[in-house]
Structures are given as structure tokens and as C-alpha cells.
Amino acid sequence: MSSLTPTARVILGLVALGPRTGYDIKRITDSSTRFFWGASYGQIYPELKRLEHDGLVEARDEPRGRVRRRVYTITPAGERAVREWLLDHETAYELRDEGLLRLFFGELLQPDDVLDLVRRRRAWFERSAALFRELGEQLEAQDDDVLRYGVDLMKWNAAWFARLEQRLSQS
Amino acid sequence: MSSLTPTARVILGLVALGPRTGYDIKRITDSSTRFFWGASYGQIYPELKRLEHDGLVEARDEPRGRVRRRVYTITPAGERAVREWLLDHETAYELRDEGLLRLFFGELLQPDDVLDLVRRRRAWFERSAALFRELGEQLEAQDDDVLRYGVDLMKWNAAWFARLEQRLSQS
DNA sequence: CCTAGCATGTAATACGTTACATGATTCA
DNA sequence: TGAATCATGTAACGTATTACATGCTAGG
């Protein structure tokens, strides 16, 4: 009924995992879901209010010293909404890769420039894979499948571009 | 200077490959760049006008019978802008995968429901891989690296989820 | 004392989709 | 004759980022 927006789903999900402040949500999305579903302050705070207004979360003030702090907790209605979404079969998938787009327009460039582009892409994916791995170690990641997906995906990309690099540098 | 918007880049690139109408651009993005950079009419037509106003493309009317038709061609300034963008090192990469997000919130579900989700995901990626392959055959794809990337990515995803499925169904 | 981090929020802007309106042509 | 495709366009809406404003607290 309430038909959650994409960002509302992330937020509601995180609150369903445990009580959270808006700041918490930003921190968590930045370090974990960022790569496949991010959120910015400009959405988080207004969205939390909307969710509260719709009765899906409850808020209470829990200041730390004199720092005001508003902690959100899931309600039964909120739990139902999350569950309903999680069981829904409709699934958005979207990839926006400017590097790929540049590769698509490769014939507008000199072969050497294309090769440079591919090389940079490979290096970038290698760095990303390393970054994900570090992130996992910091979080002492239990058996986080999603994090593993991130590492695996970046590694696969690095390998794919390495193969293309090979092919291009031979011809 | 003109600082192209993401969609402007796709459009300008396509016009740089050859004269195109707005309709052409929609058709092409729908069948090729769609998966990693799409565009809708609501952007294409206004953006073409903006690009014309900025002197990056030129327009002329080439009606087919009584069907009005506006064909856009790249200008030297437009060519410079495309080239500049293609050689730029800053590269946006963004993935939005609702399935992954659901997996991330897996602990809110029963194990059986997670398994179902993973199974559906695998099936979806398998279908996507097949779709991409067909697309390539229709286009009699020469050696389109980007299309190959699409097929490979979908296949890799299907395999990744198949492995997870195995792991989950054993425990 | 100063910096980094905790904490909340909004206004302006940018980006993008959906739905609709309009009309010609081609082909079954 | 009716459906599909070619073809252009806009208004309303939804979604998201950026940049800014504000202020407390802990630790070097």
C-alpha cells in the first residue's frame, strides 16, 4: 500500500536489523551497501520522517550528553512491510559503467587510446577488489555473502579487462 | 566547459558515430547501451536541442514523405567535446541490484525464503545471458566487446548464484 | 586548541521516467 | 481497417546529490 521508494527500503531494512539513527544509516550504507545501493543525508532524514509518519518506524530521543540524537525502531507494520518487500519477486537491476560506455565508442578513438582506457579499467577494478577485501577484514566479516560478491565481482572485472588488454595489445 | 550530463554523453557519442534522429537514439540505446547506460524520450529530445544550442550538433529537417524528421550531425566542437570526454580519466561506476540488497537483509527471512531468492536470481541471470546472446546474433555482431561483456557478466552472475545456491541447499 | 567524528537537517539543483498528445506510413 | 512502427515532443512527477548550516564531544 505505502509502496516504498528504493531508498526507503534500504533504510527500513537497516532499522529492521536493529535500532538506528540517521547518522548510523549513512555510515552503514557508506561502508557496506554503498556499491549496490547507496543513500545520502538529503534522503535519509526526510525519509525517516516519512516512515515515522506512516507508522513503519518509531522514533525516540536518546541524546548523548548534549548531542541530540534520534533513534529509530521498527514497528510491527514496518516489519510486515519489509517482509513483504523481501518476498516480492520484482527485482530492479541496473548497471551504469562509464568505462564500458567509453569502450562502446572506441571507434572514435585511436587504438592506443582504447588500450590505455582498458588498462586503466583493469587497474581500477584491481584496486576496488583490494578495497573490498580490506573492508571485509575490518568488519571481521563473518560469512557475509554480499561482501564476498563485491570482491568476486571486482576480481572478475579485473580479469575480464586483463584478457581484453591482452587481446588488444597483440593485434 | 559545457560539462556534459551523463545522458548528453551517450547522445553526443551516438551522433558522433553518424547522423541520427532522436528516435534513432532511443532505438539504439534500447537495444545496445541500455544495460549500462539508457536514455528516455523525456531526456533525448530536450538534450538534443540543448546540444544544438551549444553548437555541439547541427540539425536539419529531412522529412520522409509527410513525416517530419530532424537529423542531427556532429560539429567540430562536438567532436572535440566527445574526444575530451572519452580521454577523461574520471569514471563513474554504479551498480543497483535489488536482489543483492535482499540477500544483504537475509537474516530477516527464513532460510528457505533466502534459498528461493537465490534460485530466482540465478534463473534471472541465466535468462539475461540468453537474451544478450540472442541480441548479439540479431545484430550479426562483428566483434562487439561491450556486448560480449554483457553476456559474460550475466553468465558469471548466474554461476555465482548457482554456487551460493549449492552452498545454501547443503546446509 | 584544533581536528575528527558524532549528529541533524534543508534548499537548490540535477537527473531521469512515465504518461500523454499528436500524426504519418506500412503491411497484413 | 487496424496494428505496428516511425517520429517528435512536453508536463508532471519521482528520485537523488550537493552544498550548506549548525552545534557538541573526545582525543592528541
Side-chain angles (χ1 to χ4, degrees):
Chain A
M1 182 122 310
S2 51
S3 197
L4 303 167
T5 65
T7 304
R9 299 198 257 260
V10 183
I11 294 176
L12 198 59
L14 287 174
V15 174
L17 290 175
R20 304 256 188 275
T21 66
Y23 191 81
D24 287 339
I25 288 167
K26 175 64 173 157
R27 208 167 22 76
I28 297 171
T29 54
D30 276 356
S31 73
S32 63
T33 67
R34 186 185 69 232
F35 241 89
F36 57 92
W37 221 291
S40 62
Y41 286 130
Q43 284 174 277
I44 291 170
Y45 288 109
E47 192 61 58
L48 279 169
K49 282 186 183 165
R50 213 168 307 139
L51 290 172
E52 189 192 359
H53 175 266
D54 293 349
L56 302 183
V57 299
E58 253 166 17
R60 57 179 193 281
D61 286 311
E62 275 185 29
R64 290 242 238 256
R66 228 165 299 160
V67 178
R68 69 176 167 149
R69 201 159 149 278
R70 213 166 159 71
V71 178
Y72 291 87
T73 318
I74 194 97
T75 64
E79 259 165 6
R80 276 196 300 278
V82 177
R83 197 164 290 271
E84 195 187 322
W85 164 59
L86 285 173
L87 293 175
D88 190 357
H89 287 202
E90 219 163 326
T91 297
Y93 180 89
E94 210 186 300
L95 177 66
R96 301 222 128 190
D97 186 338
E98 205 180 348
L100 226 45
L101 192 61
R102 289 203 178 100
L103 191 60
F104 182 79
F105 291 123
E107 55 185 283
L108 296 172
L109 288 174
Q110 243 89 68
D112 274 2
D113 289 327
V114 176
L115 188 57
D116 276 353
L117 166 59
V118 169
R119 237 192 280 273
R120 281 201 307 277
R121 225 50 212 123
R122 177 185 50 72
W124 187 86
F125 281 120
E126 273 164 8
R127 277 197 304 280
S128 295
L131 219 99
F132 269 60
R133 229 180 330 241
E134 279 168 43
L135 216 88
E137 281 153 19
Q138 274 172 21
L139 298 175
E140 292 163 31
Q142 332 71 7
D143 58 352
D144 187 336
D145 291 321
V146 172
L147 187 65
R148 197 169 7 237
Y149 178 90
V151 178
D152 289 352
L153 178 62
M154 294 302 124
K155 274 163 65 179
W156 178 81
N157 270 295
W160 195 90
F161 276 93
R163 274 195 302 278
L164 181 57
E165 194 182 322
Q166 275 259 298
R167 200 144 41 81
L168 292 180
S169 59
Q170 272 165 10
S171 58
Chain B
M1 180 120 310
S2 52
S3 198
L4 303 166
T5 65
T7 305
R9 299 197 256 261
V10 183
I11 294 176
L12 198 58
L14 287 174
V15 174
L17 290 175
R20 305 256 187 275
T21 67
Y23 192 81
D24 286 340
I25 288 166
K26 175 65 172 155
R27 207 168 22 76
I28 296 170
T29 55
D30 276 356
S31 73
S32 63
T33 67
R34 186 184 68 232
F35 240 89
F36 58 93
W37 222 293
S40 64
Y41 286 129
Q43 284 175 277
I44 291 169
Y45 288 109
E47 192 60 59
L48 279 170
K49 281 185 183 166
R50 214 169 306 138
L51 290 171
E52 188 191 1
H53 175 265
D54 293 348
L56 303 182
V57 299
E58 255 166 17
R60 57 178 193 281
D61 286 310
E62 276 185 28
R64 288 243 237 256
R66 227 166 300 163
V67 177
R68 67 176 168 150
R69 201 159 150 278
R70 214 167 159 69
V71 178
Y72 290 86
T73 317
I74 195 97
T75 65
E79 259 166 6
R80 277 196 300 276
V82 176
R83 196 164 292 268
E84 196 187 324
W85 163 60
L86 286 174
L87 293 175
D88 189 358
H89 288 201
E90 219 164 326
T91 298
Y93 180 88
E94 211 186 297
L95 178 65
R96 301 222 128 189
D97 185 338
E98 204 180 349
L100 226 44
L101 193 61
R102 290 203 177 100
L103 191 59
F104 181 78
F105 291 124
E107 54 185 284
L108 296 172
L109 287 174
Q110 243 90 68
D112 274 1
D113 289 326
V114 176
L115 188 57
D116 275 353
L117 166 59
V118 170
R119 237 193 279 274
R120 279 201 309 275
R121 225 51 212 122
R122 177 185 51 72
W124 187 85
F125 281 119
E126 273 164 7
R127 275 197 306 279
S128 295
L131 219 98
F132 269 60
R133 229 181 329 244
E134 280 167 41
L135 216 86
E137 280 153 19
Q138 274 172 20
L139 298 174
E140 293 164 31
Q142 332 71 6
D143 58 352
D144 187 336
D145 291 320
V146 172
L147 187 65
R148 194 164 14 231
Y149 178 91
V151 178
D152 289 352
L153 178 62
M154 294 302 123
K155 273 163 66 180
W156 178 83
N157 270 296
W160 194 90
F161 276 93
R163 274 195 303 277
L164 181 58
E165 192 182 323
Q166 275 259 294
R167 201 146 39 81
L168 292 179
S169 60
Q170 272 165 10
S171 58

